[in-house]
Amino acid sequence: MTDFHSILTPGEHGQYINTVIEIPMGSMHKIEYSMDQKIFVLDRVEPSIFAKPVNYGFIPQTLDGDGDALDTLVITDEPLPTGVTLKAKVVGVLHFTDDGEQDTKIICVPEDDRNTGNVIKSFGDLNERWKAKIEDHFNHYKNLYKPGSTKVEGWGDEAEAWKVIEECIERFKK
């Protein structure tokens, strides 16, 4: 068993975050890290039309408004396997509610992406088509069994994302 919340810090404010991958890009499997059991658990299998458009993870030692660790959306050209940890550069935030609960997503990229030459440096580097795909996914991925229960509330830049991260670190400490 690996307790990511005790072996990893959230990262270094303003420089990088540590993130743990739960769901690889393209997966239909809703995999979650259980803080109690310290293992990855398959929560459910989503319909194939709602496969994750981006790698999905969490920041250790954080707690979001939904009672879970703060989520990350990690942009890479290929899927990252469940359980992989990485240092990531924060570029933005997706404000999101799920069943009326705050469920924020921190947008990030690997700290060292030699494949792209670290092309994504800020929120402004994310193209509108990518943002539209992410919004569409999160606004609709529960529509087949719980329509209208999710809502994208908007986007924020790197500074706004760091503010959210700090709030979630403080909430975890309490």
Side-chain angles (χ1 to χ4, degrees):
M1 290 192 241
T2 303
D3 184 359
F4 292 105
H5 295 286
S6 67
I7 62 172
L8 289 174
T9 67
E12 188 65 38
H13 183 79
Q15 295 180 32
Y16 69 90
I17 57 167
N18 287 311
T19 186
V20 180
I21 300 300
E22 292 174 300
I23 307 170
M25 174 177 59
S27 180
M28 300 176 307
H29 300 140
K30 176 66 168 115
I31 300 168
E32 295 183 344
Y33 178 73
S34 168
M35 287 199 298
D36 296 333
Q37 297 174 294
K38 297 169 185 35
I39 59 172
F40 291 95
V41 178
L42 178 65
D43 181 63
R44 63 183 177 269
V45 178
E46 296 284 3
S48 60
I49 59 171
F50 297 121
K52 290 287 184 236
V54 65
N55 299 291
Y56 197 93
F58 69 91
I59 302 172
Q61 298 186 26
T62 61
L63 194 61
D64 199 6
D66 64 354
D68 292 331
L70 182 58
D71 293 329
T72 57
L73 303 180
V74 184
I75 303 169
T76 61
D77 289 336
E78 292 188 10
L80 295 171
T82 300
V84 164
T85 65
L86 65 139
K87 287 183 178 179
K89 175 175 178 32
V90 173
V91 296
V93 59
L94 175 70
H95 297 288
F96 177 69
T97 56
D98 187 351
D99 284 331
E101 294 180 326
Q102 173 186 329
D103 193 5
T104 312
K105 316 294 183 202
I106 300 298
I107 313 301
C108 56
V109 295
E111 185 182 54
D112 184 5
D113 186 348
R114 296 173 190 184
N115 183 52
T116 68
N118 297 311
V119 70
I120 300 174
K121 297 179 185 339
S122 71
F123 183 72
D125 294 331
L126 300 175
N127 68 56
E128 293 304 313
R129 183 68 169 166
W130 184 87
K131 289 187 246 182
K133 287 189 328 187
I134 296 300
E135 283 186 32
D136 186 69
H137 173 80
F138 283 101
N139 277 328
H140 301 290
Y141 81 101
K142 288 189 174 179
N143 278 357
L144 292 179
Y145 59 95
K146 205 167 187 183
S149 63
T150 62
K151 182 168 177 38
V152 171
E153 303 286 348
W155 297 91
D157 63 9
E158 178 184 353
E160 194 170 330
W162 278 110
K163 183 178 178 217
V164 169
I165 294 166
E166 289 302 316
E167 290 169 0
C168 291
I169 290 170
E170 289 306 312
R171 190 177 294 125
F172 180 85
K173 288 178 181 177
K174 294 176 182 176

